[in-house]
Amino acid sequence: MIAPAQDLINYDDEFAKIAKETQEALTAPKTHFISTKGKIFTLPDDRTIPHLECIVVDFIRINTLMPPFNPNIRPTPKCWAYGRNDAQLTPSEHSPQRQAENCATCPQNKYGSATNGGRGKACANTYRLAIIPPDATPESDILMLKISPTGLTRWSNYVRLIENGFGAGGFCRVITKLSFDPNKDFPSIIFTPVGPVQNPETVLKIRKRASEEIMTEPNITD
């Protein structure tokens, strides 16, 4: 018996709906993040070192709003924005709880909004740096490092300082030593120039790859 026309199912359309509903649930490729917990650099292979020499090949700004701290609950970001132009940052469409149309007008991104009652912001403003070892090859892994809100001004000043000494894009043209401020109880990173890179061609090749990898959306590991 032939089924009535209204009972016929277009399987291609139904499976296409499933694909659309689930595509955003796919896990992004894992990026190699460096931990700074305890004022020590912990590399993706679990090696720990007190300081690190590297070449910074790219960096972006990331704003992330986390829920109030609860030691019994694994935190998940409520809202985030990322990009290269701080003035034009807007919450990602993937944020589960978008707070505003843009970061510039968001009440959570204003001083005094901190959930602990302090003068800071509820939304953490950070940088993400893409770094490679000084002796990198074109196939070398690109590591990611978060610069906490307390390090924003220090990184900005370093970028300007290096450009004055080494020219445009100077942060890519020098080997940088990363260490921790001994006068801080928390991991606040100090940037010190070591010398010019010896393999600028390799740096430029890796930067093309880094410019894509660095745009991985924020998550609880970075």
Side-chain angles (χ1 to χ4, degrees):
M1 179 177 179
I2 300 176
Q6 63 268 25
D7 293 334
L8 293 177
I9 299 175
N10 187 319
Y11 292 106
D12 287 340
D13 286 349
E14 293 302 314
F15 285 117
K17 291 178 183 177
I18 292 173
K20 184 175 181 179
E21 291 171 355
T22 58
Q23 64 181 350
E24 302 302 347
L26 293 174
T27 302
K30 183 172 179 56
T31 318
H32 301 283
F33 286 97
I34 298 174
S35 170
T36 58
K37 186 176 181 179
K39 296 178 65 174
I40 194 80
F41 294 105
T42 302
L43 304 180
D45 60 5
D46 292 330
R47 286 185 296 125
T48 58
I49 49 178
H51 55 79
L52 177 65
E53 290 191 3
C54 66
I55 302 170
V56 182
V57 292
D58 204 354
F59 68 94
I60 61 172
R61 183 67 172 263
I62 298 181
N63 295 342
T64 309
L65 179 66
M66 302 296 291
F69 176 73
N70 185 330
N72 301 315
I73 298 177
R74 189 180 186 186
T76 300
K78 298 169 64 176
C79 183
W80 63 82
Y82 64 108
R84 301 181 186 281
N85 189 323
D86 183 44
Q88 297 179 6
L89 289 183
T90 58
S92 167
E93 62 181 16
H94 301 146
S95 298
Q97 299 179 44
R98 286 169 57 98
Q99 301 292 304
E101 288 301 314
N102 57 68
C103 294
T105 61
C106 180
Q108 306 293 346
N109 197 37
K110 303 295 183 183
Y111 286 105
S113 62
T115 55
N116 62 5
R119 294 182 298 175
K121 299 180 180 182
C123 185
N125 298 165
T126 64
Y127 280 120
R128 177 189 288 169
L129 275 55
I131 67 175
I132 58 175
D135 59 351
T137 68
E139 292 74 34
S140 292
D141 286 336
I142 300 167
L143 303 182
M144 302 293 167
L145 177 68
K146 182 175 76 174
I147 304 302
S148 66
T150 61
L152 296 189
T153 299
R154 185 175 282 160
W155 171 249
S156 298
N157 289 341
Y158 180 73
V159 170
R160 297 187 184 98
L161 173 67
I162 295 303
E163 287 204 345
N164 288 336
F166 288 83
F171 69 90
C172 287
R173 303 167 73 168
V174 299
I175 298 170
T176 298
K177 179 181 177 180
L178 309 177
S179 57
F180 294 102
D181 188 339
N183 299 315
K184 303 291 186 182
D185 295 330
F186 48 85
S188 183
I189 296 177
I190 295 174
F191 309 94
T192 306
V194 176
V197 301
Q198 302 301 312
N199 50 350
E201 182 178 354
T202 297
V203 170
L204 292 176
K205 287 181 178 179
I206 295 180
R207 179 176 162 77
K208 293 180 180 180
R209 178 158 51 96
S211 65
E212 297 180 1
E213 293 189 17
I214 200 172
M215 300 302 282
T216 301
E217 296 224 26
N219 55 56
I220 61 174
T221 65
D222 65 351

